Amino acid sequence: MSRLFGIIHRDLRLALRQGSDSVMVVTFFVLTVVLFPFGIGPEANILERVSSGVLWVTALLASMLSLDRLFQADYEDGSLELLALTPTPLELLVLGKVAAHWLTTGLPLMVAAPVLAVLLNMNADGFVTLLLTMLLGTPTLSLIGAMGAALVLGARRGGVLLSLLVLPLYIPVLIFGVGAIDAAVQGLPVHAHLLILGGMLLAALALTPWATAAALRQALE
Amino acid sequence: MSRLFGIIHRDLRLALRQGSDSVMVVTFFVLTVVLFPFGIGPEANILERVSSGVLWVTALLASMLSLDRLFQADYEDGSLELLALTPTPLELLVLGKVAAHWLTTGLPLMVAAPVLAVLLNMNADGFVTLLLTMLLGTPTLSLIGAMGAALVLGARRGGVLLSLLVLPLYIPVLIFGVGAIDAAVQGLPVHAHLLILGGMLLAALALTPWATAAALRQALE
Amino acid sequence: MDALANYLHMGGYARFVWPAYGLAALVVGGLLLASLRGLKARERELKALQDSVPGRRGRSRAAADTGQDQ
Amino acid sequence: MSDFAPNARFSGHGLACLRGERMVFASLDFALDAGGALLLLGPNGSGKSSLLRLLAGLLKPAAGRLAWNDQPVADDREAHSARVHYVGHHDAVKPVLTVWENLRFWAGLHSPAAGDALTAGALERFDLKRLAEVPGKLLSAGQKRRLNLARLLAAPAPVWLLDEPTVALDRASVKRLEADMARHRAEGGMVILSTHAEIDLPGAAELHLNRFTPAAPDMALLAGDGEDWL
Amino acid sequence: MSDFAPNARFSGHGLACLRGERMVFASLDFALDAGGALLLLGPNGSGKSSLLRLLAGLLKPAAGRLAWNDQPVADDREAHSARVHYVGHHDAVKPVLTVWENLRFWAGLHSPAAGDALTAGALERFDLKRLAEVPGKLLSAGQKRRLNLARLLAAPAPVWLLDEPTVALDRASVKRLEADMARHRAEGGMVILSTHAEIDLPGAAELHLNRFTPAAPDMALLAGDGEDWL
Amino acid sequence: MHRFANPARFLRLASAILPWSSALSALLIAAGLYFALFHSPADYQQGETVRIMYVHVPSAWLAMACYSTMALSSAVALIWKHPLADLVAKAASPIGAAFTFLCLVSGSLWGRPMWGTWWAWDARLTSMLILFFLYLGHMALINAFDDPSRGAKAAAILALAGFVNIPIIKFSVDWWNTLHQPASVSKFGMPSIDPAMLLPLLLMALGFTCFFVTVLLIRVRTEIIASKLRAIRMTQIHAVPVAVPVAE
Ligand code: HEM
Ligand SMILES: Nc1ncnc2c1ncn2[C@@H]1O[C@H](COP(=O)(O)OP(=O)(O)OP(=O)(O)O)[C@@H](O)[C@H]1O
Ligand SMILES: Nc1ncnc2c1ncn2[C@@H]1O[C@H](COP(=O)(O)OP(=O)(O)OP(=O)(O)O)[C@@H](O)[C@H]1O
Ligand SMILES: [Mg+2]
Ligand SMILES: [Mg+2]
């Protein structure tokens, strides 16, 4: 346990010192969303209509792009070998890294989302649901993305491959996330959507650390 | 001159072998554009309305993301030092790298754009203008982005902030790109927009290589 | 003749049924052809390589023999 | 530290290593007792680094088995990880963390026994104390290497696997490392080390890797002759 | 190759180097004639790598000046770049290009005179010929280093700046490098080399970098009070 | 020591099976087609479109069966390191991708007249689409590494992780109320389907399976030769006399 916190602590420190991921992701998220009114035009009703979709698609992209380098730096400077050689299960270390990553990217994303929703003219009824779907959805994205990032370590075309592997698995999160918000805006119940998102989070939590750790081990061979 | 072609040739070869950039960018472009109907819903008229905006915003993002690591690999493995030490002006090498990069990313982006425009239901009147704006706009993005990438290398911590400074420079390209397409769709003249885009390209061509080379030199100290 | 036309018409659903069967034929035939072509190409390559390296054959056989009793 | 037991024995039998579908070495045996040392020698590309990675558990042997006190290592990977320290070609120094933070993190992760005192001692020993608050990116090549070596003392483990550890070290540091290895062995530890340079490792067994060329029988699958196949 | 002229002279006067706001060395002088060699010695962190980067033109001296035949180097950076070969800690080997492609690219970029024949000769000389078609990522540490050194022969330049060039090389390769350096000097080239290992460089001048401690009074401001550092 | 299992036995076995499986698949598919197109009734609800079923359902089954084969051989490859298992997984994924594609397109062609839409974001359809992407990812991942054994291992992990999708495809119609038909043939106990429709369906399914076995064997044989080619080239590059043991 103390080792889990050890790695979370270190990754948080790294992220804050070099500021690369967390600020980058939020910047990307904000800028992309802000670019849309420029691209689409400022008509309120159209913006409102596409707001949930734009927010979730952008969040998806932001999460995927930041995960691209989740293990890369550690792989290149030899830290990953040492992590794999500590007497701690690699699965636990993976969870630690994903947790740190979510804290520095998913969380800021969640905080930024309502503000951007206002900018996109989203109906206020959707705000709580937006936050809830993000709370359940972004960790799932991080977990799935970590698996993809581990699989493509050292591959040619790592980046493309990552999107090819990960984006399809992201689609259910996108569909249910947007579905929940649209339901909320229309005053329909959202329990079912949220339950499914929660189920996906639990499944990802149970399965992906093993796959990720296995992928990391084979990347080090 | 032969050295300029030497570096273009090598960068093209690198890109084709590891495919990282070119395929990555097109995949990202395609996948992102395909995600939008999932997020927004498949209604044809809304898709048509947002098509030019979605295409340009996505192209901007694709270009920005691929440029992010333009010099990174060379920096990390020591190639950049050697490049700076060749008896060729660094400005020329920068131009070579940007040209190779545009050939492997901007060009495929241009090719993919009309196909995706069909998918997004764009009015056929806009296609030629879409291609023209992309032809003028994507090299500008590459040049500006290369400058951002070089700045990020030098100032590790300030990197994000500096890239933040570069992004706003993208916005004019976006505005005039989308503006031209919308004008074309509505049957209005597009000369003015295209002239402005061309002017921006020339300005970028004249100014950014110096700034980029200076930033690279500083990164190597 | 009418019966045939009627049959091909598929109760008005011809443009859904026949493409489905056509694509199935394409997939099945394409897979088979591609796989066979791949096999033939590899076999040719192997043959060319073995011909171009004289003596390989004998050596590896000798090695396999010595290998047994290691 | 029960692993420092005086009768500990680390051995490998019939080890083979495949890299990129190529057999780098095969049927390699070694055995090392507490206090022992093994020197890996051989020209570039002969498989020294590969063997060390295999001993650390990063690579799985294509054949053969590793044993600790005659128990297969594969049975309990985590116990094995706790027993070894691996120092490879990469220094695993994070540029934005200070020297202290870098070392403290690895020590804490390797064994909970490692505390601030041990970390400070290790820094002292490798002459890094005055750099403790300097970020990793400001270190010279040799300073980074010493920081990486300091892990050996900051979290004790009986088996040291060192891949060309003297690279980039100045002579004083090499002397210190030799003294540390001697002390480690006196306490019942083991050292396995690859090098191209001179190093003083009294009584070390030598393993010449160039002697092991890819042997035949196992390669049957990949390189066998046509007829056996089709 | 006029730069190989027998009366060429590479010198530095009053050089000072600042890294990370710290004065690494100051008022350093050296001079090297055609055929000469300079050996940089000193403990880790004493500034050998920094000096080599400065001589290559990657770092600007904080004070002092470099001259080639008494012409300030700063006047014509490109001419200086054409004169030097720098081999640093990084190997600049692209993992997806083959050994041949890697070398050919650098040779062609460094001097248009470099052709396929020179490239092939350099590979031959460093015993890499049979690896010519192998992608860079499959090379062992020493093979990469040899590939990096092969640049020296593939595109001739009078000044070789070598930062610990023997790292990861096996003994046979070190011998070859020594022979190459001797031949280069016989042809009127110069070698400046940092090392911690033994290397055979007959008649080389030695520069001990630990002798230069941050002294200069005007630098007190930048270098802090000094106690923390040294 | 199956790490170095001799492929000779496999190849002998394959040569023995191949003529039978290929003949059988041709026969079964021909018979299936005959019954499907000429000797089965139109559905009272769906009319003639029901004939799409004889392509759609067998390809759906095969797509899933193929993935299961892949996952199984991936597990064997990861746990027992049997080298043939990697090759089987590699050989299977293009076949699976092709049949998944067929299932998607035929389902879409059926959906247009039946549901009035080519596509809906329904659980079964979405999970099937994801299966298709998984196949594509698997193929891309295998070829993304310079060292083929690394690609094989990464792809094996992906295949195993993606296996969760299979039960989701299978049971999505039971777990969520969807547009798509619930199981009627593959139900335990009595199938609730007209025997005149069942016969061609089963014939086609069996025919497809035999076809799968045939193509799989051909592709595995291709992969074995390819790995042998690589080994020969590798030894040429490294100039190591592969097979000459050095006398100690
Ligand atoms: C693109 C759209 C479609 C996809 C991806 C799809 C996918 C599938 C899959 C994966 C199965 C196999 C399920 C199993 O074995 O349990 C299946 C079976 C079946 N599908 Fe579809 N389907 C599509 C459209 C349709 C349509 C439009 C119909 C008819 C209205 C249909 C009717 C059936 C039937 C009757 C079965 C057999 C169920 C059984 O007996 O198990 N499908 N489909
Ligand atoms: N990741 C890899 N994939 C495939 N082959 C590799 C890999 N790394 C090394 N090799 C090959 O394996 C062989 C052994 O390499 P290894 O790094 O173990 O040699 P070494 O004895 O440590 O050499 P050096 O003295 O140069 O460090 C080399 O021929 C090399 O080409
Ligand atoms: N990028 C940098 N920024 C700031 N300071 C640096 C940087 N690189 C090195 N230094 C500092 O400069 C000093 C000299 O470093 P340099 O790398 O030149 O030493 P060196 O003599 O080559 O040592 P070694 O033998 O370990 O390679 C060191 O004290 C180091 O901390
Ligand atoms: Mg090595
Ligand atoms: Mg140095």
Side-chain angles (χ1 to χ4, degrees):
Chain A
M1 261 307 124
S2 84
R3 282 163 177 165
L4 180 62
F5 288 120
I7 194 158
I8 295 182
H9 183 209
R10 168 221 190 214
D11 271 32
L12 285 180
R13 186 136 67 179
L14 281 176
L16 297 181
R17 294 261 173 92
Q18 57 199 8
S20 62
D21 280 343
S22 124
V23 192
M24 187 67 195
V25 163
V26 179
T27 316
F28 174 86
F29 189 49
V30 173
L31 278 172
T32 314
V33 172
V34 169
L35 284 180
F36 267 95
F38 286 117
I40 296 177
E43 291 148 58
N45 58 332
I46 290 203
L47 278 182
E48 183 191 344
R49 178 68 194 70
V50 302
S51 59
S52 60
V54 166
L55 278 178
W56 257 106
V57 169
T58 316
L60 224 85
L61 293 176
S63 160
M64 189 191 83
L65 295 166
S66 65
L67 278 157
D68 184 27
R69 292 190 52 75
L70 179 56
F71 299 110
Q72 194 73 36
D74 281 343
Y75 178 69
E76 280 164 4
D77 74 3
S79 297
L80 201 58
E81 306 177 342
L82 295 184
L83 284 178
L85 284 178
T86 51
T88 319
L90 193 52
E91 288 76 13
L92 203 68
L93 296 180
V94 164
L95 264 184
K97 278 192 85 73
V98 174
H101 189 265
W102 183 79
L103 286 175
T104 51
T105 60
L107 202 60
L109 228 68
M110 252 179 74
V111 174
V115 182
L116 295 173
V118 174
L119 211 119
L120 289 179
N121 237 35
M122 186 189 274
N123 189 317
D125 294 340
F127 283 14
V128 175
T129 313
L130 172 65
L131 276 180
L132 283 177
T133 56
M134 287 248 156
L135 184 64
L136 292 169
T138 48
T140 316
L141 298 182
S142 296
L143 286 164
I144 297 175
M147 182 177 71
L151 280 174
V152 304
L153 267 189
R156 280 179 270 127
R157 307 158 209 238
V160 207
L161 254 184
L162 181 68
S163 46
L164 186 62
L165 295 182
V166 157
L167 278 183
L169 299 177
Y170 278 5
I171 291 180
V173 179
L174 171 66
I175 291 175
F176 290 105
V178 174
I181 300 174
D182 287 351
V185 168
Q186 290 161 35
L188 302 173
V190 296
H191 299 299
H193 288 103
L194 292 181
L195 273 179
I196 292 176
L197 280 175
M200 288 195 284
L201 174 57
L202 286 182
L205 211 50
L207 293 175
T208 59
W210 306 98
T212 311
L216 290 180
R217 281 207 196 86
Q218 65 90 20
L220 290 173
E221 289 228 330
Chain B
M1 260 307 127
S2 85
R3 281 162 179 166
L4 180 61
F5 287 120
I7 193 158
I8 294 182
H9 182 210
R10 168 224 192 213
D11 271 33
L12 284 181
R13 184 137 68 178
L14 281 176
L16 295 182
R17 292 272 168 86
Q18 55 199 8
S20 62
D21 282 343
S22 129
V23 194
M24 160 79 177
V25 162
V26 178
T27 316
F28 174 86
F29 192 46
V30 173
L31 279 171
T32 314
V33 171
V34 169
L35 280 182
F36 270 96
F38 290 161
I40 295 177
E43 290 149 60
N45 59 331
I46 291 203
L47 280 181
E48 183 190 346
R49 180 69 195 70
V50 302
S51 58
S52 60
V54 166
L55 278 178
W56 256 104
V57 169
T58 316
L60 220 88
L61 294 178
S63 159
M64 188 188 83
L65 294 168
S66 65
L67 279 157
D68 182 31
R69 292 184 54 73
L70 179 56
F71 301 110
Q72 194 74 35
D74 280 343
Y75 178 69
E76 279 164 5
D77 73 5
S79 297
L80 201 58
E81 304 177 346
L82 295 185
L83 283 177
L85 285 179
T86 51
T88 318
L90 194 52
E91 288 76 13
L92 203 68
L93 296 180
V94 165
L95 264 185
K97 278 192 84 74
V98 173
H101 190 265
W102 183 78
L103 285 176
T104 51
T105 60
L107 203 60
L109 226 68
M110 258 180 67
V111 174
V115 182
L116 294 174
V118 173
L119 213 117
L120 288 179
N121 238 34
M122 185 190 272
N123 190 316
D125 294 340
F127 283 12
V128 175
T129 315
L130 172 65
L131 276 180
L132 283 176
T133 56
M134 286 246 155
L135 184 63
L136 292 170
T138 49
T140 317
L141 297 182
S142 295
L143 286 164
I144 298 176
M147 187 175 68
L151 287 172
V152 168
L153 269 195
R156 285 230 170 226
R157 201 195 309 213
V160 193
L161 287 177
L162 286 167
S163 69
L164 264 183
L165 294 182
V166 167
L167 251 168
L169 298 177
Y170 276 8
I171 291 184
V173 180
L174 172 67
I175 291 177
F176 289 103
V178 174
I181 299 174
D182 288 351
V185 167
Q186 290 160 35
L188 303 173
V190 296
H191 299 300
H193 289 104
L194 292 181
L195 273 179
I196 295 177
L197 280 176
M200 288 196 283
L201 174 56
L202 286 181
L205 212 48
L207 294 175
T208 59
W210 306 99
T212 311
L216 288 180
R217 280 208 195 84
Q218 196 242 315
L220 288 175
E221 288 236 325
Chain C
M1 213 57 239
D2 247 16
L4 184 62
N6 198 26
Y7 175 72
L8 288 178
H9 189 55
M10 274 289 153
Y13 292 118
R15 68 196 183 94
F16 302 112
V17 175
W18 295 122
Y21 278 84
L23 188 76
L26 219 69
V27 162
V28 169
L31 261 180
L32 191 63
L33 267 181
S35 304
L36 281 174
R37 291 240 310 257
L39 180 63
K40 290 274 140 26
R42 286 295 110 70
E43 277 173 345
R44 262 200 310 278
E45 252 176 90
L46 184 65
K47 195 146 180 346
L49 203 62
Q50 277 172 341
D51 291 347
S52 76
V53 189
R56 234 202 70 74
R57 182 163 275 267
R59 246 195 324 190
S60 69
R61 174 150 335 264
D65 293 345
T66 39
Q68 300 307 320
D69 46 43
Q70 252 189 0
Chain D
M1 291 277 128
S2 66
D3 281 336
F4 275 99
N7 52 354
R9 186 181 171 84
F10 186 31
S11 63
H13 180 71
L15 296 174
C17 173
L18 272 178
R19 299 212 74 169
E21 298 197 324
R22 183 166 94 81
M23 184 72 71
V24 177
F25 54 77
S27 23
L28 186 151
D29 300 303
F30 78 96
L32 205 59
D33 290 308
L38 186 64
L39 197 58
L40 306 183
L41 298 171
N44 291 144
S46 56
K48 302 177 295 301
S49 302
S50 304
L51 177 58
L52 284 168
R53 291 176 78 82
L54 196 149
L55 297 181
L58 285 169
L59 272 178
K60 297 225 171 44
R65 57 175 213 131
L66 279 177
W68 180 263
N69 290 336
D70 297 318
Q71 293 285 346
V73 156
D75 288 355
D76 189 350
R77 297 235 147 255
E78 272 146 36
H80 187 62
S81 295
R83 272 193 298 262
V84 305
H85 263 308
Y86 169 75
V87 176
H89 285 308
H90 296 293
D91 283 330
V93 172
K94 288 287 166 195
V96 293
L97 297 186
T98 66
V99 166
W100 172 270
E101 287 165 347
N102 267 300
L103 183 58
R104 189 69 188 75
F105 170 70
W106 288 120
L109 207 56
H110 195 274
S111 102
D116 287 352
L118 268 179
T119 309
L123 284 182
E124 176 84 61
R125 184 75 193 132
F126 282 92
D127 197 19
L128 290 167
K129 196 145 196 191
R130 64 202 171 75
L131 296 175
E133 295 308 320
V134 172
K137 72 166 131 183
L138 297 189
L139 298 182
S140 77
Q143 290 162 343
K144 269 191 203 146
R145 176 47 55 133
R146 265 146 52 190
L147 175 51
N148 196 13
L149 287 168
R151 283 191 294 121
L152 298 173
L153 301 184
V159 182
W160 290 2
L161 304 172
L162 312 179
D163 200 355
E164 305 191 36
T166 58
V167 158
L169 290 188
D170 54 24
R171 283 164 208 189
S173 306
V174 173
K175 282 270 160 303
R176 255 190 321 251
L177 177 65
E178 285 168 351
D180 285 331
M181 290 193 295
R183 206 176 52 188
H184 176 65
R185 289 168 62 193
E187 285 170 0
M190 306 170 189
V191 174
I192 304 181
L193 181 147
S194 84
T195 188
H196 294 297
E198 300 297 338
I199 196 159
D200 183 32
L201 205 61
E206 292 190 0
L207 194 59
H208 289 267
L209 271 141
N210 48 344
R211 302 238 184 104
F212 297 85
T213 33
D218 294 353
M219 290 299 279
L221 167 73
L222 293 169
D225 209 316
E227 254 110 307
D228 318 342
W229 289 54
L230 292 173
Chain E
M1 291 277 125
S2 67
D3 281 336
F4 275 99
N7 55 352
R9 185 181 172 84
F10 186 33
S11 62
H13 180 72
L15 296 173
C17 173
L18 271 179
R19 301 214 68 171
E21 304 197 322
R22 180 166 95 82
M23 182 64 72
V24 177
F25 54 77
S27 31
L28 185 151
D29 300 304
F30 80 98
L32 205 59
D33 290 310
L38 185 63
L39 196 58
L40 307 182
L41 298 171
N44 294 142
S46 56
K48 300 177 298 299
S49 301
S50 305
L51 176 57
L52 284 168
R53 291 176 77 83
L54 196 148
L55 297 181
L58 286 169
L59 273 177
K60 297 225 167 44
R65 59 174 210 130
L66 278 178
W68 181 260
N69 290 337
D70 296 319
Q71 293 287 345
V73 157
D75 288 356
D76 189 350
R77 298 235 146 255
E78 271 146 37
H80 188 60
S81 295
R83 274 193 298 263
V84 304
H85 262 309
Y86 170 74
V87 176
H89 286 308
H90 295 293
D91 284 329
V93 172
K94 288 288 168 197
V96 292
L97 297 185
T98 65
V99 166
W100 172 271
E101 288 165 345
N102 267 300
L103 184 58
R104 188 69 188 77
F105 169 71
W106 287 119
L109 206 58
H110 195 274
S111 103
D116 287 353
L118 269 179
T119 309
L123 283 183
E124 176 85 62
R125 186 71 194 131
F126 281 93
D127 195 19
L128 289 167
K129 195 145 196 194
R130 65 200 172 78
L131 296 177
E133 297 306 321
V134 173
K137 66 159 63 172
L138 295 188
L139 300 182
S140 76
Q143 289 162 343
K144 268 191 202 146
R145 176 44 58 127
R146 263 145 52 191
L147 175 52
N148 195 15
L149 288 168
R151 282 191 294 122
L152 298 173
L153 301 184
V159 183
W160 290 2
L161 303 172
L162 312 179
D163 200 356
E164 304 193 36
T166 58
V167 158
L169 291 187
D170 53 24
R171 283 164 207 188
S173 307
V174 174
K175 282 270 160 302
R176 255 188 322 249
L177 177 64
E178 285 168 351
D180 286 330
M181 289 193 297
R183 207 175 51 186
H184 176 64
R185 289 167 62 193
E187 287 168 1
M190 306 171 189
V191 174
I192 305 181
L193 180 146
S194 85
T195 188
H196 295 297
E198 300 298 338
I199 196 159
D200 184 32
L201 206 60
E206 292 190 0
L207 193 60
H208 289 268
L209 272 142
N210 46 345
R211 302 231 186 108
F212 299 85
T213 35
D218 50 324
M219 288 303 165
L221 189 93
L222 287 165
D225 61 13
E227 255 155 59
D228 308 341
W229 290 98
L230 273 174
Chain F
M1 270 286 281
H2 36 233
R3 177 72 187 85
F4 300 108
N6 184 358
R9 197 177 321 137
F10 168 82
L11 289 168
R12 269 198 303 279
L13 199 68
S15 314
I17 296 175
L18 259 176
W20 291 99
S21 63
S22 48
L24 208 60
S25 70
L27 226 103
L28 284 168
I29 291 180
L33 276 179
Y34 173 73
F35 281 104
L37 291 175
F38 304 113
H39 267 262
S40 68
D43 194 76
Y44 70 99
Q45 270 184 329
Q46 312 189 336
E48 301 284 354
T49 58
V50 78
R51 297 194 200 282
I52 297 179
M53 177 170 75
Y54 309 121
V55 172
H56 171 74
V57 176
S59 57
W61 286 346
L62 192 59
M64 291 191 293
C66 181
Y67 197 91
S68 308
T69 311
M70 225 167 78
L72 188 71
S73 52
S74 296
V76 171
L78 284 179
I79 299 168
W80 289 290
K81 301 199 159 43
H82 196 294
L84 268 180
D86 274 335
L87 300 185
V88 169
K90 183 173 183 194
S93 60
I95 311 177
F99 280 98
T100 311
F101 182 69
L102 182 56
C103 171
L104 284 169
V105 175
S106 61
S108 198
L109 283 167
W110 199 358
R112 181 70 215 184
M114 285 302 107
W115 309 331
T117 171
W118 299 102
W119 188 260
W121 290 108
D122 146 286
R124 167 161 282 178
L125 275 56
T126 308
S127 53
M128 200 64 189
L129 184 67
I130 289 173
L131 183 68
F132 183 59
F133 283 128
L134 278 173
Y135 275 124
L136 293 186
H138 188 265
M139 289 191 283
L141 197 58
I142 275 192
N143 294 313
F145 295 87
D146 286 326
D147 174 358
S149 58
R150 279 231 30 216
K153 278 185 206 133
I157 294 166
L158 178 74
L160 282 179
F163 189 66
V164 276
N165 194 32
I166 293 295
I168 293 180
I169 298 177
K170 181 81 201 147
F171 298 113
S172 51
V173 279
D174 304 331
W175 293 345
W176 294 284
N177 52 342
T178 62
L179 274 177
H180 195 278
Q181 225 89 345
S184 49
V185 183
S186 51
K187 254 195 331 207
F188 297 107
M190 277 307 287
S192 51
I193 181 175
D194 183 341
M197 291 184 181
L198 191 58
L199 177 68
L201 190 57
L202 290 183
L203 282 175
M204 287 292 275
L206 278 176
F208 272 27
T209 311
C210 287
F211 175 77
F212 169 65
V213 170
T214 309
V215 177
L216 188 69
L217 290 178
I218 294 175
R219 298 187 76 93
V220 171
R221 172 183 270 186
T222 314
E223 290 302 331
I224 290 178
I225 299 178
S227 68
K228 194 179 154 192
L229 273 169
R230 271 198 308 274
I232 295 177
R233 296 217 170 99
M234 192 67 84
T235 56
Q236 284 180 335
I237 288 170
H238 289 281
V240 179
V242 165
V244 183
V246 171
E248 258 297 323

